Amino acid sequence: MKYYLEKLVEGKSLLEIEMEEAVQEMFTQDTTDAEIASFLTGLKSKGETAEEVSGLVKAIRKHALNFTKNIPNVLDNCGTGGDGSKSFNISTTSAFVIAGAGITVAKHGNRSVSSKTGSADVLEALGVSLDFSPEATEEILEQNGIAFLFAPHVHPKLKQIMKVRRDLKIPTIFNLIGPLTNPVQLDYQLLGIYRRDLLDKFAHVLANLNRKRAIVINGAGGMDEASLAGENEMVIVSDGEIRHTRLKPEEVNLPVYDNSRIRGGDARDNADILLQVLKGKKGAHRDTVLLNAGLGIYTAGKAESILQGVDLAAESIDSGRALAKLENLISISNRNKKAVG
């Protein structure tokens, strides 16, 4: 670690392979908490490069639980958190809508970070199990088209690093990379990020991670989701090519809502919002999900435009297919709990 720490202190960036090696060292018992803290603060002070973020993500994925099946055309849709909007669980609700449109979704997530309720909290309130094995998760992906991967469960070796993060009490690169560390091999990704200045950097990371297609989006008002409050800034990654663009609600025939209209509550409140949206209730919650699910459907190549993606998202809800995906996952979870019990 000494070599890598000295490079960071000198303001020098690490190569991707060096970053992988440094993170590998952090997983060993020989590395102290002080060294990990110095490494994370050194990166933050210098400013992380796309190569460094890619190396970090690749190293973390190597130490995750082993997912071996090569399931084709899998997507994840997830925000980094940190926007302070206290919104309901937009990406989690959208995941079921995307799955209902015929796209396989490996939803990677955690408990609450910046909102009152994280994806794990709301799914647990709905009766979804958080501790499926890799084999069971892969089977669910193949049979149901959507499964949830609880980050602490699939990344058990990160405990020491997470402890250092909590002790530091300052944001580090780990506050932003959660959505990138999904251990399932993804072809497509919709990534929300609350910092507009990092859009391009994370687009390059997704290109480095060989996504066939991905969108990195910063929503109006600084949200880590697409927002109906105004103009959304996004970067589209397609076969290694990177393109910047913007999106307004009126371009996809959706109304404008202030972000205050989509605030959520505790896990039970947000579970109720999620259910109401999947059952077809109209309003700001549904329209926000239509926008985000439409982007996911477009990202996965199921729609030729975002507008068509929004239309397919509405069809997924109104047909009952989105709700059926959730009900199937709850049913599978109940069987799993009985088998374990």
Side-chain angles (χ1 to χ4, degrees), residues 118-129:
S119 54
D121 302 305
V122 73
L123 289 174
E124 194 172 48
L126 289 163
V128 174
S129 178

Side-chain angles (χ1 to χ4, degrees), residues 1 4 20-31:
M1 283 295 287
Y4 302 118
E20 284 195 60
E21 291 168 353
V23 177
Q24 175 66 39
E25 286 295 319
M26 290 200 291
F27 280 106
T28 67
Q29 293 182 343
D30 295 333
T31 305

Side-chain angles (χ1 to χ4, degrees), residues 205-221:
V205 172
L206 288 166
N208 288 347
L209 295 175
N210 297 319
R211 301 292 188 258
K212 288 181 183 176
R213 195 175 198 180
I215 291 179
V216 190
I217 190 159
N218 174 259

Side-chain angles (χ1 to χ4, degrees), residues 4-273:
Y4 302 118
L5 288 171
E6 286 177 346
K7 279 196 77 170
L8 293 178
V9 168
E10 293 169 3
K12 296 177 181 177
S13 296
L14 304 183
L15 300 174
E16 184 177 303
I17 187 63
E18 290 179 319
M19 189 66 174
E20 284 195 60
E21 291 168 353
V23 177
Q24 175 66 39
E25 286 295 319
M26 290 200 291
F27 280 106
T28 67
Q29 293 182 343
D30 295 333
T31 305
T32 66
D33 287 358
E35 286 175 318
I36 295 172
S38 297
F39 187 80
L40 294 178
T41 53
L43 272 175
K44 180 180 176 66
S45 298
K46 179 188 69 65
E48 303 89 350
T49 65
E51 263 199 283
E52 288 170 337
V53 177
S54 300
L56 174 59
V57 169
K58 288 178 180 179
I60 290 172
R61 291 184 73 249
K62 284 179 181 176
H63 286 273
L65 295 184
N66 194 19
F67 290 76
T68 58
K69 281 192 177 180
N70 184 21
I71 301 171
N73 301 320
V74 181
L75 173 138
D76 190 7
N77 68 315
C78 189
T80 58
D83 64 8
S85 68
K86 295 181 171 53
S87 60
F88 76 103
N89 296 88
I90 298 167
S91 64
T92 307
T93 311
S94 300
F96 292 102
V97 180
I98 295 167
I103 296 155
T104 304
V105 181
K107 184 76 177 78
H108 183 253
N110 210 332
R111 297 199 183 277
S112 61
V113 179
S114 59
S115 60
K116 290 183 180 179
T117 309
S119 54
D121 302 305
V122 73
L123 289 174
E124 194 172 48
L126 289 163
V128 174
S129 178
L130 304 182
D131 60 354
F132 285 110
S133 68
E135 295 78 15
T137 300
E138 289 169 335
E139 186 176 339
I140 293 166
L141 282 173
E142 290 180 323
Q143 293 180 0
N144 189 47
I146 182 169
F148 181 70
L149 294 90
F150 182 42
H153 176 63
V154 297
H155 297 290
K157 295 182 180 180
L158 277 176
K159 288 180 181 178
Q160 182 186 5
I161 298 173
M162 294 303 103
K163 176 186 176 297
V164 174
R165 273 187 62 202
R166 287 192 295 271
D167 291 345
L168 275 175
K169 294 183 173 61
I170 59 170
T172 69
I173 189 58
F174 276 88
N175 292 77
L176 295 167
I177 63 164
L180 300 173
T181 61
N182 193 323
V184 172
Q185 185 56 51
L186 303 174
D187 289 302
Y188 308 107
Q189 187 151 13
L190 174 61
L191 170 63
I193 191 163
Y194 74 97
R195 284 179 54 185
R196 192 158 288 198
D197 62 303
L198 292 178
L199 282 170
D200 193 68
K201 183 180 293 184
F202 274 69
H204 280 89
V205 172
L206 288 166
N208 288 347
L209 295 175
N210 297 319
R211 301 292 188 258
K212 288 181 183 176
R213 195 175 198 180
I215 291 179
V216 190
I217 190 159
N218 174 259
M223 286 191 66
D224 70 328
E225 313 272 4
S227 166
L228 292 171
E231 189 172 73
N232 299 273
E233 186 88 22
M234 61 187 189
V235 183
I236 300 173
V237 181
S238 183
D239 294 323
E241 297 293 319
I242 293 173
R243 176 169 61 91
H244 291 254
T245 188
R246 294 181 174 87
L247 179 68
K248 294 180 180 178
E250 54 266 31
E251 294 174 46
V252 289
N253 297 334
L254 289 172
V256 174
Y257 293 102
D258 189 88
N259 286 336
S260 63
R261 297 282 300 277
I262 54 171
R263 284 187 185 142
D266 61 20
R268 190 66 257 170
D269 294 331
N270 285 7
D272 288 339
I273 292 171

Side-chain angles (χ1 to χ4, degrees), residues 278-303:
L278 297 189
K279 288 177 179 179
K281 184 178 179 179
K282 303 277 199 297
H285 296 127
R286 172 189 165 103
D287 289 338
T288 300
V289 168
L290 290 180
L291 178 61
N292 283 274
L295 279 162
I297 293 167
Y298 171 72
T299 301
K302 195 83 172 182

